[in-house]
């Protein structure tokens, strides 16, 4: 269904003789998927010790369902994933290697539609599927260090990585190429999961408008995701490649989840 965008996304990779359905077509990732999931488990345990979940079962169920619908469209759908809404008014989301996606409650509050929210979650899912974190860690620290982390040799370093992640978004700071890839893949995942792909450009516009009102809530997201006109244009052009009919989703369920978030996140940007 609606797959003609696919060739466009991958046609630009010169000399790729690999399976065009595979996301990890360019960079050889030296970390096995099993090791990546083990590393993610350790990092997530540390993140979970340092952040506060929103503690709202309905919102959590909503995020889980949205995440599962997106993951179902990826090549890593047979792996275990977690989607956690954390109580934090900042408009942000981040992903750990090994299928752990964290969504700040401020992001849910800021999104004006289900497709807008899905676009950011899909972008984070795409970082995981493309394995950007482990690629980056291996490049920065070498395979032996990452392998040692997987084996649990250095719990202090896991704590340090997570402290940096939470403090400065270090793990979330990918290259511009990675970001472009995450946008393109995210757009594909959301459209295949029947979320209107116009939601990605719409989310960018919502974020730009909100940032003018409450810039402090956007520092982290814009710090790791510079929002250029190119990026918005690419999202618009990418969405136009899909046929634009039959988008699903559940606006009433989104609004209900968002209302619950607003009630629990008084500083959320749209609480006005
Ligand atoms: Zn990103």
């Amino acid at each position: 269904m609606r797959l003609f965008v696919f060739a466009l996304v991958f046609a630009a990779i010169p000399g790729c003789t690999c399976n065009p359905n595979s996301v990890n077509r360019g960079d050889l990732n030296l970390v096995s998927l099993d090791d990546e999931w083990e590393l993610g488990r350790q990092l997530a345990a540390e993140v979970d010790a340092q952040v506060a979940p929103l503690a709202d079962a309905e919102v959590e169920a909503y995020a889980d369902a949205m995440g599962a619908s997106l993951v179902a469209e990826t090549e890593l759908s047979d792996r275990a994933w977690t989607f956690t809404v954390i109580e934090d008014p900042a408009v942000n989301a981040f992903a750990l290697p090994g299928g752990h996606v964290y969504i700040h409650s401020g992001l849910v509050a800021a999104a004006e539609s289900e497709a807008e929210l899905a676009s950011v979650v899909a972008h984070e899912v795409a970082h995981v599927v493309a394995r950007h974190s482990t690629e980056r860690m291996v490049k920065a620290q070498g395979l032996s260090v990452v392998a040692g982390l997987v084996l649990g040799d250095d719990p202090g370093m896991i704590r340090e990585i997570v402290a940096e992640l939470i403090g400065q978004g270090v793990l979330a700071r990918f290259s511009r190429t990675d970001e472009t890839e995450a946008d393109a893949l995210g757009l594909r995942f959301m459209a295949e999961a029947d979320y209107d792909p116009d939601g990605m450009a719409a989310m960018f516009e919502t974020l730009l408008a909100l940032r003018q009102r409450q810039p402090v809530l956007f520092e982290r997201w814009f710090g790791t995701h510079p929002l250029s006109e190119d990026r918005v244009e690419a999202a618009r052009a990418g969405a136009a490649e899909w046929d634009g009919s039959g988008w699903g989703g559940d606006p009433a369920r989104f609004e209900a989840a968002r209302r619950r978030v607003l009630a629990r996140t008084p500083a959320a940007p749209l609480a006005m």
Side-chain angles (χ1 to χ4, degrees), residues 1 34 36 40 65 71 110-111 123 127 135 152 197 221 242-243 249 257:
M1 59 182 292
D34 285 345
E36 179 153 342
V71 165
H123 175 100
H127 276 310
E135 275 174 13
W221 199 84
W242 295 79
D243 71 12

Side-chain angles (χ1 to χ4, degrees), residues 57-97:
E58 275 183 43
V59 175
E60 191 47 55
Y62 180 71
D64 286 345
M66 176 179 278
S69 70
L70 293 163
V71 165
E73 305 302 334
T74 77
E75 64 191 74
L76 297 181
S77 57
D78 57 339
R79 296 261 157 185
W81 290 66
T82 65
F83 292 84
T84 307
V85 180
I86 57 180
E87 188 165 355
D88 187 327
V91 180
N92 197 15
F94 62 94
L96 302 176

Side-chain angles (χ1 to χ4, degrees), residues 5 18 24 38 53 69 82 85 98 121-122 128 153-154 186 191 199 203-204 214 217 229 233 235 267:
V5 68
C18 44
N24 293 292
E38 170 55 24
S69 70
T82 65
V85 180
V121 179
V128 175
D153 286 353
D154 197 345
M203 184 81 224
F204 292 151
Q214 299 206 34
L217 294 175
E229 192 47 46
E233 260 320 302

Side-chain angles (χ1 to χ4, degrees), residues 36-272:
E36 179 153 342
W37 251 250
E38 170 55 24
L39 179 62
R41 188 192 64 72
Q42 294 181 45
L43 289 166
E46 188 59 33
V47 169
D48 292 344
Q50 294 193 28
V51 300
L54 188 71
D56 184 309
E58 275 183 43
V59 175
E60 191 47 55
Y62 180 71
D64 286 345
M66 176 179 278
S69 70
L70 293 163
V71 165
E73 305 302 334
T74 77
E75 64 191 74
L76 297 181
S77 57
D78 57 339
R79 296 261 157 185
W81 290 66
T82 65
F83 292 84
T84 307
V85 180
I86 57 180
E87 188 165 355
D88 187 327
V91 180
N92 197 15
F94 62 94
L96 302 176
H100 301 279
V101 176
Y102 292 85
I103 303 156
H104 289 218
S105 53
L107 176 73
V108 182
E112 292 186 344
S113 72
E114 184 166 57
E116 287 192 12
L117 178 63
S119 76
V120 180
V121 179
H123 175 100
E124 297 304 327
V125 165
H127 276 310
V128 175
V129 171
R131 308 182 65 200
H132 290 152
S133 288
T134 43
E135 275 174 13
R136 195 181 165 282
M137 287 171 84
V138 169
K139 270 182 201 149
Q141 294 168 337
L143 183 61
S144 60
V145 170
V146 177
L149 283 178
V150 171
L151 293 172
D153 286 353
D154 197 345
M157 189 159 173
I158 294 274
R159 270 194 299 278
E160 211 173 289
I161 290 171
V162 168
E164 280 183 21
L165 166 69
I166 291 175
Q168 302 159 32
V170 167
L171 261 189
R173 198 168 295 140
F174 299 113
S175 70
R176 194 168 169 165
T177 310
D178 287 351
E179 292 303 341
T180 303
E181 184 176 46
D183 279 351
L185 284 173
L187 194 73
R188 181 184 120 205
F189 298 153
M190 72 183 290
E192 287 182 341
D194 282 346
Y195 295 105
D196 183 349
D198 286 337
M200 185 172 276
M203 184 81 224
F204 292 151
E205 278 156 10
T206 297
L207 293 171
L208 286 167
L210 286 173
R211 180 171 64 164
Q212 300 204 319
R213 290 182 5 213
Q214 299 206 34
V216 72
L217 294 175
F218 292 84
E219 277 169 5
R220 287 281 299 278
W221 199 84
F222 281 100
T224 52
H225 292 88
L227 197 40
S228 62
E229 192 47 46
D230 284 2
R231 208 174 161 206
V232 184
E233 260 320 302
R236 261 191 218 111
E241 296 295 322
W242 295 79
D243 71 12
S245 62
W247 306 120
D250 188 340
R253 199 173 171 202
F254 166 75
E255 277 309 327
R258 187 164 166 268
R259 268 196 304 277
R260 295 179 75 85
V261 164
L262 285 169
R264 286 169 173 275
T265 312
L270 286 195
M272 55 190 73

